Amino acid sequence: MREAQTMDGVMKREKANGVGSCLVCGGRKIHYDFSLGKFRVEECTNCGLMRLNPQPTDQELAEIYGPNYFPFSEDAEGQSHTSELKSRTADHYLDLLESYIEAPLTGHLLEVGCGNGDLLARASARGLSVTGIEYSPDFAEVASRKLGGRGKVIRGEIGQLLTSGIRFDFVVFTDVLEHVRDPRAFLRDVHALLKEDGVATTVVPSLDSASARLMKGKWIEFKPEHLWYFSTATLKWLFYDEAFGVLAVKPAKKTLSFDYIAQHFDRYPVQPYSSAIVLLRRLLPRFLRTYPLRITASGIVMFARRAETRRVKKLSVVMPAYNETKSVKGVIERVLAKTIGGLEIELIIVESNSTDGTREVVREYEGRDRVKVIWQDLPRGKGNAVRAGLRQVSGDYVLIQDADDEYDIEDYDTLIEPLMTGETAFVLGARHGGSALKMRQFQDQRVLGHLLNLGHWFFTTLVNVVYGLRLKDPFTMYKVFRADCLRGLQFECDRFDFDYELLIKLVKKGYRPIEIPVNYRSRSFKEGKKINVFRDPWTWLRAIVKYRLTKI
């Protein structure tokens, strides 16, 4: 059964944000999409969150959540079959959780909306202390019997635990968040119940799933008890906004049988799919109908760590500096003078043993407040310097800043805003709005500038085709992203191919960037541009091919 909350949280939030505002982005442009029986399904124009409005009453939900809510709940044989399938699915989720924390599971696990207790039983078998909370008295009783004294099952709602003083290493809520009346209030309760650096695990149906895209308005997850419909982006946005970090998303694979799927489509008829499944079920022998299959269903599983709730967020600016004596002092001063409301800025300078006096200029800032300096004994390339800087990041967000005057620091506000609001995790500052022909306009080397613009167009097209993107300026220096996006990534490129490596690995990890136009004044090779037109393009091509063929 699912965690059912009262309307109090919803009413308070509606009062605070204005009636009709979006739960995730706060936007008010919400339009009618289609009807689900007598309920309206609405969609936020800004972020794509979908919801039922008005929501079913408590009485209507109580009629849905009866003792036979799950398929095969009517007889002992069916219950045993369902339990076996759910136990296998639970083991898979626990394996993913163990992979996420990169260590064996130990400690105390809470499952909210624990249903019949299958995940609790599997977690207990792994040596975890377990507690479950379940709104339905019928399922709470079944879960308690299944644990047999190896854990505790509480009948009620998550809020009952807030005053207990108990804090958990893990809080798991599978197929729950879409059922609660106020997911924000629910996540705040989860946050409060987690220990420092504790992990939340959720499974929800996703609007990004193949079944959702295929079935569209007939998607089987469109049900009156599902009050909210998330995409990967809106789910991440919501979690990050509620002080969770280090977000990781995987497809939710469930162990199901054909009989189980057929019962589901029988309970929630969707034509022509239901008729086809009924026909196929009649043709299959019994052992095939009940054979357990692990399939990617309609959902995603997301892991997130409890983050520190900071009043003021921090931006870490990573600045590689090599032979930039004419501009480095001015750039450093402008970064340190820059102010953004609600944001502290730290500057990480990586000096690579310059020969033109840059090192001496940077030395003036060593020990200054909000400044870290990393000294390299040899110039190993821009990519190597940025990698060294990234290892020293302590902020919530990261921005890469060159030590020259090509980019405008006044663009910081626009670039960082989508990260601070939770709209996205990754931003690219598109030079000249991404126009390849305007990218490099060298007054003293016009022909060379045009040739570089043609190369930019070629490599942009190649990256877009190979990785399924629609970017205009993927190789901009202004790459801005949440610091937790780097978790688990290893980098190796030392030169300008690092721009490709960073972009590609973030994209392959699931972070799709948005582009924002920025001011840009290109400098020519006579003015100090360092790209080697004969050497570097080959490293870019190698990076595009290599990281397409390798796992990150």
Side-chain angles (χ1 to χ4, degrees), residues 111 114-122 139 142-144 146-147 153:
E111 185 182 12
C114 64
N116 285 335
D118 298 292
L119 187 140
L120 291 176
R122 299 310 304 154
F139 293 130
V142 172
S144 185
K146 187 167 293 183
L147 284 178
V153 177

Side-chain angles (χ1 to χ4, degrees), residues 442-500:
F442 303 155
Q443 298 302 318
D444 52 355
Q445 295 176 301
R446 290 182 181 274
V447 175
L448 184 56
H450 290 313
L451 288 174
L452 288 177
N453 289 339
L454 181 62
H456 178 94
W457 173 85
F458 170 78
F459 280 103
T460 296
T461 302
L462 185 60
V463 164
N464 283 337
V465 170
V466 171
Y467 293 95
L469 302 172
R470 291 186 175 182
L471 300 176
K472 295 181 178 179
D473 188 14
F475 320 121
T476 173
M477 179 270 296
Y478 269 160
K479 293 180 174 64
V480 194
F481 46 88
R482 288 205 317 259
D484 66 274
C485 295
L486 297 175
R487 181 183 181 273
L489 294 180
Q490 300 293 326
F491 299 106
E492 59 184 0
C493 293
D494 286 333
R495 289 185 57 78
F496 295 98
D497 49 349
F498 177 78
D499 280 328
Y500 290 73

